[in-house]
């Protein structure tokens, strides 16, 4: 048996023997879980986060908040009450935020960006450090914005990790301009803590583009559900301006939705093999970017039905190319690129130049790895052009990027001999992926 826990071990991606037919229960959303933890930590009363994602990113977030004094009790409930009352739950008990403390951000964008504003509200120094790649990821806009709002931050002029936030127990807040062209997380980072700022915050985005707007909408919805007053462009406010009034946040009892972006490889399996996959509890209304998979994968040749059970996605075994703007849903790009490499016509993926600054340079990585299997992928100014070719086996490197690993697994369904390097990196947001993949494939060809 291959040891997939070693960073450089190769996991032999299984090839499907026939049509996949499975029900796959996807763990909770990382984006919702980590936002919920931050809001609960800043609330005026205890709250619950139910069915949270337990992964490296969410563990880094909870460990960081604990280091700053927040109580997080992990429980498993067997209650027979409502749908959200059974399973794992985290009780979050707000406390006086304090240092000294050290936060390990790993390579989690939500941790490295959402928590410096929280640390500015703490009493004492909070040091932030992380994986080597985290030093390269953009953070300067958050640092400069926090300084404008009254925070004291020592980063030795790098505009990046590692850094120390010298919290004074409060933050003035006010008006700040920020260029969030590289990541919508810059805006979300300031909005999440804003109710606790003395003056709240007015965030003005000055850049030419703003990727991943659904994630900002998710932040706004979750703030409002916790009792915050938020004015947004969608609500008739100024374009690219968000205002959050100061005030207390409520402790909530929140059930985390399944992570729809992490459902992507399983839906792709149905499309590529001409099978059918059901994802239970797919929400009828959501701010998650992954919900766009319903329309994107339908255009590429599948069909879906949203039932009381969840989303039922069915493929024909034929995959069509697509010309699509993914600027709002960039995290879906690796999986879509993998499917496009197996299509019957060319695909153009647009609006995702910012992916060069994600866990790895995803555009360069996808180009190199798919081409290494015989593909024909070229980078454009803001995306990828993919011309399908007959692919062959080989090593698919992941660059410590969970979505690269799942993209390689998708290609492996149709191409024999694909070995995924460091499939364990999927634990960032999708624990036990190899076992979930094997369980899904157990019914293939039956």
């Amino acid at each position: 048996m291959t040891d997939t826990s070693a960073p450089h071990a190769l996991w032999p991606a299984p090839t499907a023997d026939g049509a996949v037919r499975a029900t796959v229960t996807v763990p909770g959303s990382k984006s919702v879980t980590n936002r919920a933890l931050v809001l609960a930590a800043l609330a005026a009363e205890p709250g619950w986060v139910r069915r949270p994602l337990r992964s490296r990113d969410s563990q880094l977030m909870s460990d960081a908040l604990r280091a700053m004094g927040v109580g997080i009790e992990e429980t498993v409930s067997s209650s027979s009450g409502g749908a959200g009352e059974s399973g794992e739950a985290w009780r979050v008990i707000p406390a006086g935020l304090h240092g000294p403390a050290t936060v390990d951000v790993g390579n989690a964008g939500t941790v490295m960006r959402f928590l410096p504003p929280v640390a500015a509200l703490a009493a004492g120094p909070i040091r932030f450090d992380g994986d080597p790649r985290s030093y390269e990821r953009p953070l300067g806009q958050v640092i400069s914005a926090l300084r404008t709002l009254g925070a004291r931050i020592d980063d030795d002029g790098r505009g990046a990790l590692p850094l120390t936030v010298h919290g004074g127990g409060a933050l003035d807040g006010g008006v700040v301009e920020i260029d969030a062209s590289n990541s919508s997380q810059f805006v979300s980072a300031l909005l999440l803590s804003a109710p606790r700022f003395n003056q709240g915050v007015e965030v003005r985005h000055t850049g030419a583009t703003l990727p991943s707007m659904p994630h900002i909408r998710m932040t706004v919805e979750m703030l409002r559900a916790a009792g915050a007053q938020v004015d947004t462009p969608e609500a008739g406010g100024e374009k690219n301006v968000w205002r959050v009034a100061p005030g207390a946040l409520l402790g909530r009892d929140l059930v985390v939705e399944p992570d729809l972006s992490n459902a992507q490889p399983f839906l792709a399996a149905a499309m590529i093999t001409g099978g059918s996959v059901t994802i239970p509890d797919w929400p009828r209304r959501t701010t998650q970017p992954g919900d766009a998979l319903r329309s994107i994968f339908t255009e590429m040749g599948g069909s879906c039905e949203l039932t009381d059970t969840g989303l039922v996605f069915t493929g024909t075994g034929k995959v069509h190319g697509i010309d699509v703007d993914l600027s709002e849903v960039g995290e879906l790009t690796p999986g879509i690129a993998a499917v496009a490499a197996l299509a019957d016509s060319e695909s153009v993926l647009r609006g995702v130049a910012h992916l060069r600054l994600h866990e790895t340079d995803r555009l360069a990585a996808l180009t190199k790895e798919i081409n290494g299997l015989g593909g024909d992928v070229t980078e454009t100014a803001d995306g990828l052009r993919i011309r399908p070719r007959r692919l062959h086996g080989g090593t698919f490197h992941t660059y410590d990027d969970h979505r690269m690993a799942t993209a390689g697994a998708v290609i492996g369904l149709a191409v024999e001999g694909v070995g995924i390097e460091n499939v364990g990196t999927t634990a960032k947001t999708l624990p036990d992926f190899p076992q979930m993949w094997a369980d899904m494939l157990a019914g293939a060809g039956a």
Side-chain angles (χ1 to χ4, degrees):
M1 180 181 243
T2 304
D3 177 11
T4 58
S5 62
H8 300 292
L10 291 183
W11 175 66
T15 302
D17 294 330
V20 167
R21 303 196 183 281
T23 295
V24 180
T25 300
V26 178
S29 163
K30 176 204 74 174
S31 299
V32 173
T33 297
N34 278 1
R35 283 167 173 77
L37 285 171
V38 171
L39 291 172
L42 296 174
E45 56 195 352
W48 287 93
V49 180
R50 301 187 189 273
R51 295 185 184 174
L53 172 68
R54 180 183 286 278
S55 70
R56 187 184 187 216
D57 276 19
S58 60
Q59 197 64 54
L60 287 166
M61 181 67 83
S62 60
D63 287 348
L65 291 170
R66 286 188 179 104
M68 287 190 271
V70 178
I72 301 178
E73 300 173 352
E74 301 181 18
T75 65
V76 177
S77 169
S78 58
S79 169
S80 59
E85 296 181 13
S86 61
E88 189 167 5
W90 295 348
R91 181 164 172 79
V92 183
I93 305 168
L97 299 168
H98 62 79
T102 297
V103 168
D104 176 11
V105 309
N107 192 18
T110 53
V111 182
M112 73 178 70
R113 292 163 182 154
F114 292 178
L115 289 189
V118 176
L121 298 168
I126 310 292
R127 177 172 171 78
F128 290 81
D129 208 337
D131 297 351
R133 171 63 179 172
S134 71
Y135 294 6
E136 303 171 12
R137 299 186 67 183
L139 189 60
Q141 290 291 317
V142 175
I143 294 170
S144 60
L146 286 173
R147 285 177 174 145
T148 298
L149 298 174
R152 186 162 68 93
I153 301 174
D154 177 14
D155 66 342
D156 291 333
R158 287 182 298 270
L161 291 172
L163 59 85
T164 300
V165 179
H166 297 276
L171 194 67
D172 291 340
V175 180
V176 65
E177 292 187 344
I178 190 169
D179 182 354
S181 300
N182 287 334
S183 176
S184 68
Q185 289 178 354
F186 298 168
V187 174
S188 289
L190 298 172
L191 300 184
L192 285 167
S193 294
R196 290 283 303 271
F197 299 168
N198 293 339
Q199 302 171 41
V201 78
E202 179 179 300
V203 178
R204 293 180 166 269
H205 166 59
T206 60
T209 62
L210 184 57
S212 302
M213 272 297 295
H215 279 128
I216 296 179
R217 296 186 194 110
M218 177 187 293
T219 297
V220 169
E221 277 205 6
M222 293 182 70
L223 275 163
R224 286 173 173 161
Q229 179 183 330
V230 188
D231 295 329
T232 69
E234 293 90 345
E238 293 179 68
K239 182 180 179 182
N240 292 336
V241 177
W242 294 262
R243 297 184 181 89
V244 181
L249 291 171
L250 307 173
R252 297 187 61 203
D253 193 327
L254 173 71
V255 180
V256 178
E257 298 173 350
D259 193 314
L260 306 187
S261 294
N262 276 340
Q264 182 179 36
F266 305 101
L267 301 180
M271 181 152 61
I272 289 166
T273 67
S276 180
V277 167
T278 299
I279 308 293
D281 300 321
W282 193 288
R284 292 188 176 274
R285 182 187 174 280
T286 181
T287 53
Q288 287 193 61
D291 195 44
L293 288 167
R294 290 194 288 155
S295 59
I296 293 170
F297 276 179
T298 296
E299 187 175 344
M300 295 185 80
S303 63
C304 64
E305 180 184 5
L306 195 54
T307 70
D308 291 340
T309 301
L311 182 72
V312 181
F313 186 85
T314 305
T316 63
K318 294 183 179 180
V319 181
H320 308 312
I322 190 172
D323 187 326
V324 62
D325 183 344
L326 299 175
S327 58
E328 292 207 346
V329 294
E331 66 192 48
L332 303 180
T333 302
I336 293 170
V339 172
L342 302 170
D344 59 11
S345 58
E346 180 177 292
S347 292
V348 180
L349 312 184
R350 308 177 184 276
V352 286
H354 61 285
L355 294 189
R356 294 186 170 100
L357 301 169
H358 274 220
E359 281 82 345
T360 187
D361 179 341
R362 283 180 170 164
L363 300 185
L366 287 164
T367 300
K368 182 175 186 297
E369 297 311 310
I370 295 175
N371 287 351
L373 302 181
D376 182 2
V377 182
T378 55
E379 284 191 58
T380 64
D382 70 339
L384 299 172
R385 182 179 299 274
I386 303 169
R387 301 176 181 88
R389 294 287 185 270
R390 184 177 180 83
L391 302 182
H392 55 71
T395 299
F396 196 94
H397 299 90
T398 62
Y399 310 87
D400 295 321
D401 185 336
H402 57 133
R403 299 205 193 279
M404 286 296 295
T406 53
V410 168
I411 292 174
L413 289 173
V415 180
E416 292 186 1
V418 175
I420 310 296
E421 174 244 3
N422 189 18
V423 74
T425 194
T426 52
K428 177 181 172 70
T429 61
L430 194 56
D432 303 321
F433 171 73
Q435 188 60 54
M436 293 177 68
W437 202 243
D439 291 345
M440 175 195 70
L441 287 169

